PDB file of all heavy atoms in Angstrom:
ATOM      1  N   GLY Z1219     112.673  82.386 134.133  1.00  0.00           N
ATOM      2  CA  GLY Z1219     113.243  81.599 133.063  1.00  0.00           C
ATOM      3  C   GLY Z1219     114.534  82.193 132.525  1.00  0.00           C
ATOM      4  O   GLY Z1219     114.899  83.318 132.849  1.00  0.00           O
ATOM      5  N   TRP Z1220     115.206  81.390 131.736  1.00  0.00           N
ATOM      6  CA  TRP Z1220     116.400  81.810 131.016  1.00  0.00           C
ATOM      7  C   TRP Z1220     116.159  81.633 129.524  1.00  0.00           C
ATOM      8  O   TRP Z1220     115.662  80.597 129.080  1.00  0.00           O
ATOM      9  CB  TRP Z1220     117.630  81.001 131.419  1.00  0.00           C
ATOM     10  CG  TRP Z1220     118.135  81.312 132.797  1.00  0.00           C
ATOM     11  CD1 TRP Z1220     117.849  80.661 133.952  1.00  0.00           C
ATOM     12  CD2 TRP Z1220     119.045  82.368 133.141  1.00  0.00           C
ATOM     13  NE1 TRP Z1220     118.502  81.243 135.007  1.00  0.00           N
ATOM     14  CE2 TRP Z1220     119.252  82.296 134.531  1.00  0.00           C
ATOM     15  CE3 TRP Z1220     119.706  83.365 132.409  1.00  0.00           C
ATOM     16  CZ2 TRP Z1220     120.089  83.188 135.212  1.00  0.00           C
ATOM     17  CZ3 TRP Z1220     120.523  84.241 133.085  1.00  0.00           C
ATOM     18  CH2 TRP Z1220     120.705  84.147 134.459  1.00  0.00           C
ATOM     19  N   PHE Z1221     116.532  82.658 128.763  1.00  0.00           N
ATOM     20  CA  PHE Z1221     116.423  82.655 127.313  1.00  0.00           C
ATOM     21  C   PHE Z1221     117.778  82.981 126.718  1.00  0.00           C
ATOM     22  O   PHE Z1221     118.648  83.501 127.394  1.00  0.00           O
ATOM     23  CB  PHE Z1221     115.387  83.679 126.838  1.00  0.00           C
ATOM     24  CG  PHE Z1221     113.985  83.380 127.287  1.00  0.00           C
ATOM     25  CD1 PHE Z1221     113.572  83.665 128.583  1.00  0.00           C
ATOM     26  CD2 PHE Z1221     113.071  82.812 126.414  1.00  0.00           C
ATOM     27  CE1 PHE Z1221     112.282  83.384 129.010  1.00  0.00           C
ATOM     28  CE2 PHE Z1221     111.782  82.539 126.818  1.00  0.00           C
ATOM     29  CZ  PHE Z1221     111.386  82.820 128.114  1.00  0.00           C
ATOM     30  N   ARG Z1222     117.950  82.680 125.437  1.00  0.00           N
ATOM     31  CA  ARG Z1222     119.192  83.047 124.769  1.00  0.00           C
ATOM     32  C   ARG Z1222     118.924  83.436 123.328  1.00  0.00           C
ATOM     33  O   ARG Z1222     117.936  83.028 122.725  1.00  0.00           O
ATOM     34  CB  ARG Z1222     120.215  81.905 124.818  1.00  0.00           C
ATOM     35  CG  ARG Z1222     119.829  80.657 124.037  1.00  0.00           C
ATOM     36  CD  ARG Z1222     120.837  79.538 124.281  1.00  0.00           C
ATOM     37  NE  ARG Z1222     120.504  78.337 123.538  1.00  0.00           N
ATOM     38  CZ  ARG Z1222     121.118  77.172 123.696  1.00  0.00           C
ATOM     39  NH1 ARG Z1222     122.110  77.059 124.580  1.00  0.00           N
ATOM     40  NH2 ARG Z1222     120.761  76.117 122.980  1.00  0.00           N
ATOM     41  N   GLN Z1223     119.836  84.248 122.791  1.00  0.00           N
ATOM     42  CA  GLN Z1223     119.731  84.673 121.414  1.00  0.00           C
ATOM     43  C   GLN Z1223     121.125  84.653 120.789  1.00  0.00           C
ATOM     44  O   GLN Z1223     122.010  85.385 121.214  1.00  0.00           O
ATOM     45  CB  GLN Z1223     119.116  86.064 121.308  1.00  0.00           C
ATOM     46  CG  GLN Z1223     118.848  86.496 119.871  1.00  0.00           C
ATOM     47  CD  GLN Z1223     117.944  87.701 119.780  1.00  0.00           C
ATOM     48  OE1 GLN Z1223     117.773  88.438 120.745  1.00  0.00           O
ATOM     49  NE2 GLN Z1223     117.355  87.912 118.626  1.00  0.00           N
ATOM     50  N   ALA Z1224     121.287  83.803 119.793  1.00  0.00           N
ATOM     51  CA  ALA Z1224     122.533  83.715 119.053  1.00  0.00           C
ATOM     52  C   ALA Z1224     122.497  84.670 117.873  1.00  0.00           C
ATOM     53  O   ALA Z1224     121.413  85.046 117.402  1.00  0.00           O
ATOM     54  CB  ALA Z1224     122.762  82.285 118.567  1.00  0.00           C
ATOM     55  N   PRO Z1225     123.663  85.085 117.352  1.00  0.00           N
ATOM     56  CA  PRO Z1225     123.675  85.994 116.205  1.00  0.00           C
ATOM     57  C   PRO Z1225     122.872  85.450 115.029  1.00  0.00           C
ATOM     58  O   PRO Z1225     123.051  84.303 114.628  1.00  0.00           O
ATOM     59  CB  PRO Z1225     125.166  86.089 115.852  1.00  0.00           C
ATOM     60  CG  PRO Z1225     125.857  85.822 117.140  1.00  0.00           C
ATOM     61  CD  PRO Z1225     125.023  84.773 117.829  1.00  0.00           C
ATOM     62  N   GLY Z1226     121.981  86.280 114.508  1.00  0.00           N
ATOM     63  CA  GLY Z1226     121.185  85.898 113.365  1.00  0.00           C
ATOM     64  C   GLY Z1226     120.042  84.944 113.649  1.00  0.00           C
ATOM     65  O   GLY Z1226     119.385  84.482 112.719  1.00  0.00           O
ATOM     66  N   LYS Z1227     119.783  84.665 114.921  1.00  0.00           N
ATOM     67  CA  LYS Z1227     118.723  83.730 115.276  1.00  0.00           C
ATOM     68  C   LYS Z1227     117.722  84.391 116.219  1.00  0.00           C
ATOM     69  O   LYS Z1227     117.997  85.424 116.832  1.00  0.00           O
ATOM     70  CB  LYS Z1227     119.300  82.481 115.930  1.00  0.00           C
ATOM     71  CG  LYS Z1227     120.326  81.754 115.077  1.00  0.00           C
ATOM     72  CD  LYS Z1227     120.719  80.433 115.687  1.00  0.00           C
ATOM     73  CE  LYS Z1227     119.600  79.410 115.591  1.00  0.00           C
ATOM     74  NZ  LYS Z1227     120.041  78.075 116.080  1.00  0.00           N
ATOM     75  N   GLU Z1228     116.561  83.788 116.323  1.00  0.00           N
ATOM     76  CA  GLU Z1228     115.513  84.289 117.206  1.00  0.00           C
ATOM     77  C   GLU Z1228     115.814  83.930 118.650  1.00  0.00           C
ATOM     78  O   GLU Z1228     116.519  82.963 118.950  1.00  0.00           O
ATOM     79  CB  GLU Z1228     114.156  83.713 116.800  1.00  0.00           C
ATOM     80  CG  GLU Z1228     113.689  84.124 115.415  1.00  0.00           C
ATOM     81  CD  GLU Z1228     113.366  85.593 115.314  1.00  0.00           C
ATOM     82  OE1 GLU Z1228     112.833  86.155 116.295  1.00  0.00           O
ATOM     83  OE2 GLU Z1228     113.653  86.183 114.267  1.00  0.00           O
ATOM     84  N   ARG Z1229     115.269  84.727 119.558  1.00  0.00           N
ATOM     85  CA  ARG Z1229     115.367  84.419 120.981  1.00  0.00           C
ATOM     86  C   ARG Z1229     114.635  83.120 121.272  1.00  0.00           C
ATOM     87  O   ARG Z1229     113.535  82.892 120.768  1.00  0.00           O
ATOM     88  CB  ARG Z1229     114.779  85.563 121.801  1.00  0.00           C
ATOM     89  CG  ARG Z1229     114.848  85.353 123.311  1.00  0.00           C
ATOM     90  CD  ARG Z1229     114.293  86.562 124.047  1.00  0.00           C
ATOM     91  NE  ARG Z1229     112.928  86.852 123.629  1.00  0.00           N
ATOM     92  CZ  ARG Z1229     112.200  87.880 124.073  1.00  0.00           C
ATOM     93  NH1 ARG Z1229     112.731  88.729 124.939  1.00  0.00           N
ATOM     94  NH2 ARG Z1229     110.969  88.064 123.638  1.00  0.00           N
ATOM     95  N   GLU Z1230     115.245  82.263 122.073  1.00  0.00           N
ATOM     96  CA  GLU Z1230     114.638  80.982 122.385  1.00  0.00           C
ATOM     97  C   GLU Z1230     114.689  80.674 123.869  1.00  0.00           C
ATOM     98  O   GLU Z1230     115.577  81.137 124.594  1.00  0.00           O
ATOM     99  CB  GLU Z1230     115.337  79.847 121.615  1.00  0.00           C
ATOM    100  CG  GLU Z1230     116.782  79.630 122.016  1.00  0.00           C
ATOM    101  CD  GLU Z1230     117.419  78.417 121.351  1.00  0.00           C
ATOM    102  OE1 GLU Z1230     116.666  77.620 120.736  1.00  0.00           O
ATOM    103  OE2 GLU Z1230     118.645  78.263 121.450  1.00  0.00           O
ATOM    104  N   ILE Z1231     113.734  79.880 124.314  1.00  0.00           N
ATOM    105  CA  ILE Z1231     113.704  79.432 125.696  1.00  0.00           C
ATOM    106  C   ILE Z1231     114.845  78.462 125.931  1.00  0.00           C
ATOM    107  O   ILE Z1231     115.148  77.617 125.079  1.00  0.00           O
ATOM    108  CB  ILE Z1231     112.355  78.781 126.038  1.00  0.00           C
ATOM    109  CG1 ILE Z1231     112.297  78.328 127.511  1.00  0.00           C
ATOM    110  CG2 ILE Z1231     112.067  77.590 125.129  1.00  0.00           C
ATOM    111  CD1 ILE Z1231     112.249  79.463 128.473  1.00  0.00           C
ATOM    112  N   VAL Z1232     115.481  78.570 127.080  1.00  0.00           N
ATOM    113  CA  VAL Z1232     116.499  77.623 127.503  1.00  0.00           C
ATOM    114  C   VAL Z1232     115.970  76.775 128.647  1.00  0.00           C
ATOM    115  O   VAL Z1232     116.000  75.542 128.601  1.00  0.00           O
ATOM    116  CB  VAL Z1232     117.800  78.334 127.940  1.00  0.00           C
ATOM    117  CG1 VAL Z1232     118.821  77.325 128.451  1.00  0.00           C
ATOM    118  CG2 VAL Z1232     118.377  79.134 126.773  1.00  0.00           C
ATOM    119  N   ALA Z1233     115.494  77.425 129.688  1.00  0.00           N
ATOM    120  CA  ALA Z1233     114.987  76.739 130.871  1.00  0.00           C
ATOM    121  C   ALA Z1233     114.042  77.649 131.625  1.00  0.00           C
ATOM    122  O   ALA Z1233     114.118  78.872 131.513  1.00  0.00           O
ATOM    123  CB  ALA Z1233     116.136  76.295 131.783  1.00  0.00           C
ATOM    124  N   ALA Z1234     113.150  77.049 132.402  1.00  0.00           N
ATOM    125  CA  ALA Z1234     112.218  77.804 133.220  1.00  0.00           C
ATOM    126  C   ALA Z1234     112.013  77.080 134.527  1.00  0.00           C
ATOM    127  O   ALA Z1234     112.189  75.864 134.618  1.00  0.00           O
ATOM    128  CB  ALA Z1234     110.884  78.009 132.491  1.00  0.00           C
ATOM    129  N   ILE Z1235     111.603  77.836 135.544  1.00  0.00           N
ATOM    130  CA  ILE Z1235     111.398  77.253 136.863  1.00  0.00           C
ATOM    131  C   ILE Z1235     110.164  77.868 137.501  1.00  0.00           C
ATOM    132  O   ILE Z1235     109.889  79.063 137.363  1.00  0.00           O
ATOM    133  CB  ILE Z1235     112.648  77.438 137.745  1.00  0.00           C
ATOM    134  CG1 ILE Z1235     112.537  76.633 139.039  1.00  0.00           C
ATOM    135  CG2 ILE Z1235     112.904  78.924 138.033  1.00  0.00           C
ATOM    136  CD1 ILE Z1235     113.871  76.492 139.767  1.00  0.00           C
ATOM    137  N   SER Z1236     109.405  77.044 138.209  1.00  0.00           N
ATOM    138  CA  SER Z1236     108.183  77.497 138.841  1.00  0.00           C
ATOM    139  C   SER Z1236     108.492  78.344 140.082  1.00  0.00           C
ATOM    140  O   SER Z1236     109.626  78.398 140.558  1.00  0.00           O
ATOM    141  CB  SER Z1236     107.317  76.306 139.236  1.00  0.00           C
ATOM    142  OG  SER Z1236     107.958  75.519 140.231  1.00  0.00           O
ATOM    143  N   ARG Z1237     107.462  78.983 140.595  1.00  0.00           N
ATOM    144  CA  ARG Z1237     107.626  79.825 141.780  1.00  0.00           C
ATOM    145  C   ARG Z1237     108.225  79.051 142.949  1.00  0.00           C
ATOM    146  O   ARG Z1237     109.083  79.576 143.675  1.00  0.00           O
ATOM    147  CB  ARG Z1237     106.275  80.434 142.181  1.00  0.00           C
ATOM    148  CG  ARG Z1237     106.324  81.268 143.453  1.00  0.00           C
ATOM    149  CD  ARG Z1237     104.971  81.871 143.753  1.00  0.00           C
ATOM    150  NE  ARG Z1237     103.916  80.860 143.802  1.00  0.00           N
ATOM    151  CZ  ARG Z1237     103.667  80.081 144.838  1.00  0.00           C
ATOM    152  NH1 ARG Z1237     104.394  80.197 145.945  1.00  0.00           N
ATOM    153  NH2 ARG Z1237     102.687  79.192 144.776  1.00  0.00           N
ATOM    154  N   SER Z1238     107.778  77.826 143.146  1.00  0.00           N
ATOM    155  CA  SER Z1238     108.237  77.017 144.262  1.00  0.00           C
ATOM    156  C   SER Z1238     109.631  76.418 144.022  1.00  0.00           C
ATOM    157  O   SER Z1238     110.288  75.994 144.976  1.00  0.00           O
ATOM    158  CB  SER Z1238     107.269  75.880 144.527  1.00  0.00           C
ATOM    159  OG  SER Z1238     107.291  74.941 143.465  1.00  0.00           O
ATOM    160  N   GLY Z1239     110.061  76.370 142.775  1.00  0.00           N
ATOM    161  CA  GLY Z1239     111.322  75.745 142.433  1.00  0.00           C
ATOM    162  C   GLY Z1239     111.214  74.260 142.159  1.00  0.00           C
ATOM    163  O   GLY Z1239     112.192  73.632 141.783  1.00  0.00           O
ATOM    164  N   LEU Z1240     110.023  73.701 142.321  1.00  0.00           N
ATOM    165  CA  LEU Z1240     109.842  72.273 142.146  1.00  0.00           C
ATOM    166  C   LEU Z1240     109.543  71.864 140.704  1.00  0.00           C
ATOM    167  O   LEU Z1240     109.767  70.717 140.317  1.00  0.00           O
ATOM    168  CB  LEU Z1240     108.703  71.772 143.048  1.00  0.00           C
ATOM    169  CG  LEU Z1240     108.949  71.945 144.554  1.00  0.00           C
ATOM    170  CD1 LEU Z1240     107.742  71.461 145.338  1.00  0.00           C
ATOM    171  CD2 LEU Z1240     110.205  71.209 144.992  1.00  0.00           C
ATOM    172  N   GLY Z1241     109.035  72.798 139.916  1.00  0.00           N
ATOM    173  CA  GLY Z1241     108.738  72.508 138.523  1.00  0.00           C
ATOM    174  C   GLY Z1241     109.752  73.171 137.616  1.00  0.00           C
ATOM    175  O   GLY Z1241     110.090  74.343 137.791  1.00  0.00           O
ATOM    176  N   THR Z1242     110.264  72.419 136.643  1.00  0.00           N
ATOM    177  CA  THR Z1242     111.257  72.963 135.707  1.00  0.00           C
ATOM    178  C   THR Z1242     110.917  72.573 134.276  1.00  0.00           C
ATOM    179  O   THR Z1242     110.204  71.590 134.028  1.00  0.00           O
ATOM    180  CB  THR Z1242     112.672  72.489 136.035  1.00  0.00           C
ATOM    181  OG1 THR Z1242     112.707  71.052 136.016  1.00  0.00           O
ATOM    182  CG2 THR Z1242     113.108  72.986 137.401  1.00  0.00           C
ATOM    183  N   TYR Z1243     111.445  73.345 133.356  1.00  0.00           N
ATOM    184  CA  TYR Z1243     111.321  73.065 131.937  1.00  0.00           C
ATOM    185  C   TYR Z1243     112.681  73.303 131.280  1.00  0.00           C
ATOM    186  O   TYR Z1243     113.372  74.269 131.616  1.00  0.00           O
ATOM    187  CB  TYR Z1243     110.279  73.976 131.287  1.00  0.00           C
ATOM    188  CG  TYR Z1243     110.282  73.916 129.777  1.00  0.00           C
ATOM    189  CD1 TYR Z1243     109.498  72.990 129.104  1.00  0.00           C
ATOM    190  CD2 TYR Z1243     111.093  74.767 129.033  1.00  0.00           C
ATOM    191  CE1 TYR Z1243     109.525  72.908 127.726  1.00  0.00           C
ATOM    192  CE2 TYR Z1243     111.115  74.695 127.647  1.00  0.00           C
ATOM    193  CZ  TYR Z1243     110.331  73.762 127.003  1.00  0.00           C
ATOM    194  OH  TYR Z1243     110.358  73.676 125.634  1.00  0.00           O
ATOM    195  N   TYR Z1244     113.052  72.437 130.338  1.00  0.00           N
ATOM    196  CA  TYR Z1244     114.278  72.601 129.578  1.00  0.00           C
ATOM    197  C   TYR Z1244     114.014  72.363 128.106  1.00  0.00           C
ATOM    198  O   TYR Z1244     113.289  71.432 127.748  1.00  0.00           O
ATOM    199  CB  TYR Z1244     115.359  71.627 130.026  1.00  0.00           C
ATOM    200  CG  TYR Z1244     115.794  71.791 131.459  1.00  0.00           C
ATOM    201  CD1 TYR Z1244     115.209  71.020 132.471  1.00  0.00           C
ATOM    202  CD2 TYR Z1244     116.784  72.705 131.803  1.00  0.00           C
ATOM    203  CE1 TYR Z1244     115.612  71.178 133.786  1.00  0.00           C
ATOM    204  CE2 TYR Z1244     117.188  72.856 133.117  1.00  0.00           C
ATOM    205  CZ  TYR Z1244     116.592  72.091 134.105  1.00  0.00           C
ATOM    206  OH  TYR Z1244     117.004  72.249 135.408  1.00  0.00           O
ATOM    207  N   THR Z1245     114.610  73.176 127.264  1.00  0.00           N
ATOM    208  CA  THR Z1245     114.547  72.902 125.847  1.00  0.00           C
ATOM    209  C   THR Z1245     115.403  71.660 125.571  1.00  0.00           C
ATOM    210  O   THR Z1245     116.358  71.377 126.283  1.00  0.00           O
ATOM    211  CB  THR Z1245     115.033  74.110 125.035  1.00  0.00           C
ATOM    212  OG1 THR Z1245     114.691  73.932 123.657  1.00  0.00           O
ATOM    213  CG2 THR Z1245     116.526  74.305 125.154  1.00  0.00           C
ATOM    214  N   ASP Z1246     115.037  70.914 124.536  1.00  0.00           N
ATOM    215  CA  ASP Z1246     115.665  69.616 124.287  1.00  0.00           C
ATOM    216  C   ASP Z1246     117.192  69.698 124.152  1.00  0.00           C
ATOM    217  O   ASP Z1246     117.900  68.790 124.593  1.00  0.00           O
ATOM    218  CB  ASP Z1246     115.082  68.981 123.020  1.00  0.00           C
ATOM    219  CG  ASP Z1246     113.694  68.443 123.230  1.00  0.00           C
ATOM    220  OD1 ASP Z1246     113.262  68.292 124.382  1.00  0.00           O
ATOM    221  OD2 ASP Z1246     113.021  68.158 122.220  1.00  0.00           O
ATOM    222  N   SER Z1247     117.692  70.740 123.560  1.00  0.00           N
ATOM    223  CA  SER Z1247     119.113  70.835 123.281  1.00  0.00           C
ATOM    224  C   SER Z1247     119.997  70.972 124.521  1.00  0.00           C
ATOM    225  O   SER Z1247     121.208  70.766 124.441  1.00  0.00           O
ATOM    226  CB  SER Z1247     119.406  71.994 122.317  1.00  0.00           C
ATOM    227  OG  SER Z1247     119.062  73.235 122.908  1.00  0.00           O
ATOM    228  N   VAL Z1248     119.407  71.316 125.671  1.00  0.00           N
ATOM    229  CA  VAL Z1248     120.212  71.499 126.880  1.00  0.00           C
ATOM    230  C   VAL Z1248     119.895  70.481 127.966  1.00  0.00           C
ATOM    231  O   VAL Z1248     120.550  70.485 129.017  1.00  0.00           O
ATOM    232  CB  VAL Z1248     120.064  72.926 127.458  1.00  0.00           C
ATOM    233  CG1 VAL Z1248     120.329  73.960 126.372  1.00  0.00           C
ATOM    234  CG2 VAL Z1248     118.693  73.124 128.093  1.00  0.00           C
ATOM    235  N   LYS Z1249     118.932  69.612 127.723  1.00  0.00           N
ATOM    236  CA  LYS Z1249     118.572  68.609 128.728  1.00  0.00           C
ATOM    237  C   LYS Z1249     119.760  67.728 129.068  1.00  0.00           C
ATOM    238  O   LYS Z1249     120.476  67.251 128.190  1.00  0.00           O
ATOM    239  CB  LYS Z1249     117.415  67.752 128.213  1.00  0.00           C
ATOM    240  CG  LYS Z1249     116.078  68.455 128.206  1.00  0.00           C
ATOM    241  CD  LYS Z1249     114.968  67.539 127.697  1.00  0.00           C
ATOM    242  CE  LYS Z1249     113.628  68.248 127.731  1.00  0.00           C
ATOM    243  NZ  LYS Z1249     112.553  67.398 127.158  1.00  0.00           N
ATOM    244  N   GLY Z1250     119.962  67.525 130.358  1.00  0.00           N
ATOM    245  CA  GLY Z1250     121.075  66.719 130.818  1.00  0.00           C
ATOM    246  C   GLY Z1250     122.359  67.498 130.993  1.00  0.00           C
ATOM    247  O   GLY Z1250     123.327  66.976 131.568  1.00  0.00           O
ATOM    248  N   ARG Z1251     122.407  68.732 130.500  1.00  0.00           N
ATOM    249  CA  ARG Z1251     123.616  69.546 130.595  1.00  0.00           C
ATOM    250  C   ARG Z1251     123.427  70.801 131.449  1.00  0.00           C
ATOM    251  O   ARG Z1251     124.351  71.218 132.152  1.00  0.00           O
ATOM    252  CB  ARG Z1251     124.094  69.976 129.206  1.00  0.00           C
ATOM    253  CG  ARG Z1251     124.436  68.809 128.279  1.00  0.00           C
ATOM    254  CD  ARG Z1251     125.095  69.291 126.996  1.00  0.00           C
ATOM    255  NE  ARG Z1251     124.195  70.146 126.214  1.00  0.00           N
ATOM    256  CZ  ARG Z1251     124.453  71.414 125.895  1.00  0.00           C
ATOM    257  NH1 ARG Z1251     125.601  71.966 126.284  1.00  0.00           N
ATOM    258  NH2 ARG Z1251     123.595  72.111 125.169  1.00  0.00           N
ATOM    259  N   PHE Z1252     122.247  71.404 131.381  1.00  0.00           N
ATOM    260  CA  PHE Z1252     121.951  72.631 132.107  1.00  0.00           C
ATOM    261  C   PHE Z1252     121.001  72.340 133.269  1.00  0.00           C
ATOM    262  O   PHE Z1252     120.136  71.460 133.163  1.00  0.00           O
ATOM    263  CB  PHE Z1252     121.298  73.666 131.205  1.00  0.00           C
ATOM    264  CG  PHE Z1252     122.180  74.258 130.140  1.00  0.00           C
ATOM    265  CD1 PHE Z1252     123.436  73.726 129.851  1.00  0.00           C
ATOM    266  CD2 PHE Z1252     121.755  75.364 129.431  1.00  0.00           C
ATOM    267  CE1 PHE Z1252     124.248  74.263 128.864  1.00  0.00           C
ATOM    268  CE2 PHE Z1252     122.554  75.918 128.440  1.00  0.00           C
ATOM    269  CZ  PHE Z1252     123.790  75.381 128.166  1.00  0.00           C
TER     270      PHE Z1252
END
């Protein structure tokens, strides 16, 4: 997975991918862009 942390904010999930690469997850704020 990929996570990010902005100044003054908590670490948050950005995207994740399964072992096979067929399953993915995206946080709402990056869907359609990442």
Side-chain angles (χ1 to χ4, degrees):
W1220 288 95
F1221 296 78
R1222 67 187 180 188
Q1223 186 166 18
K1227 303 188 72 175
E1228 297 292 323
R1229 181 178 57 182
E1230 65 174 349
I1231 181 70
V1232 177
I1235 190 165
S1236 65
R1237 177 178 54 81
S1238 69
L1240 298 178
T1242 58
Y1243 170 89
Y1244 298 94
T1245 193
D1246 286 345
S1247 64
V1248 308
K1249 287 180 179 177
R1251 300 189 297 119
F1252 291 11

